[in-house]
Amino acid sequence: MNITTLLKPTVATAMITALMITTGCVTAPGYNAYGDLYEDVYKDNKVYKKHKKAIKNVDKELYQPAIEQRAANKVSNMGYRVKDVKYKRGDSKIKVKATRGSKDYKIELGYPGYQVIKIK
């Protein structure tokens, strides 16, 4: 038996194994490749229920202030002085209390476009 006949299949097997490991085809038992991708879509799964409080805190600490700041910038660029901005996650409106001159105004902006819906 020649050594080259044994070497070629061994090298080919080693290359295939290395490619499978680096591309993620070989994983630990019980791993779901799509579970991480669609985790926030299915709110009734175990991981979401376990970490529900942490996920909501991240939303409040990161996303909500950025949305409120952008709404405040939009209203202040319109010539108003912003007093208060309120936004709830999942709501399609951002409520802004502002003043111009000596009058108080309540301005509703649409989310995510930040277009003016109503000025009272």
Side-chain angles (χ1 to χ4, degrees), residues 74-93:
K74 167 88 175 182
V75 172
S76 66
N77 287 339
M78 291 168 44
Y80 295 91
R81 185 176 304 155
V82 178
K83 288 183 173 181
D84 188 30
V85 180
K86 291 187 181 180
Y87 170 73
K88 284 187 201 175
R89 184 169 189 252
D91 197 9
S92 63
K93 295 180 185 176

Side-chain angles (χ1 to χ4, degrees), residues 14-119:
M15 286 178 58
I16 290 171
T17 305
L19 285 172
M20 288 175 63
I21 290 172
T22 57
T23 58
C25 294
V26 177
T27 58
Y31 178 77
N32 182 2
Y34 298 105
D36 297 334
L37 184 64
Y38 298 109
E39 189 116 2
D40 59 343
V41 175
Y42 301 106
K43 301 289 185 185
D44 59 333
N45 66 14
K46 293 177 188 174
V47 176
Y48 179 78
K49 287 180 181 178
K50 183 178 180 183
H51 301 290
K52 187 175 182 178
K53 187 181 275 187
I55 291 170
K56 286 189 177 188
N57 285 339
V58 167
D59 284 340
K60 282 187 177 181
E61 291 174 6
L62 293 178
Y63 300 117
Q64 187 173 352
I67 293 168
E68 290 176 352
Q69 184 63 46
R70 188 168 175 194
N73 289 341
K74 167 88 175 182
V75 172
S76 66
N77 287 339
M78 291 168 44
Y80 295 91
R81 185 176 304 155
V82 178
K83 288 183 173 181
D84 188 30
V85 180
K86 291 187 181 180
Y87 170 73
K88 284 187 201 175
R89 184 169 189 252
D91 197 9
S92 63
K93 295 180 185 176
I94 303 169
K95 297 178 182 178
V96 181
K97 291 182 181 178
T99 59
R100 183 189 253 177
S102 61
K103 294 185 178 180
D104 291 332
Y105 294 93
K106 293 181 181 177
I107 301 170
E108 289 184 0
L109 300 175
Y111 180 78
Y114 296 96
Q115 68 275 9
V116 177
I117 296 174
K118 191 186 301 183
I119 299 177

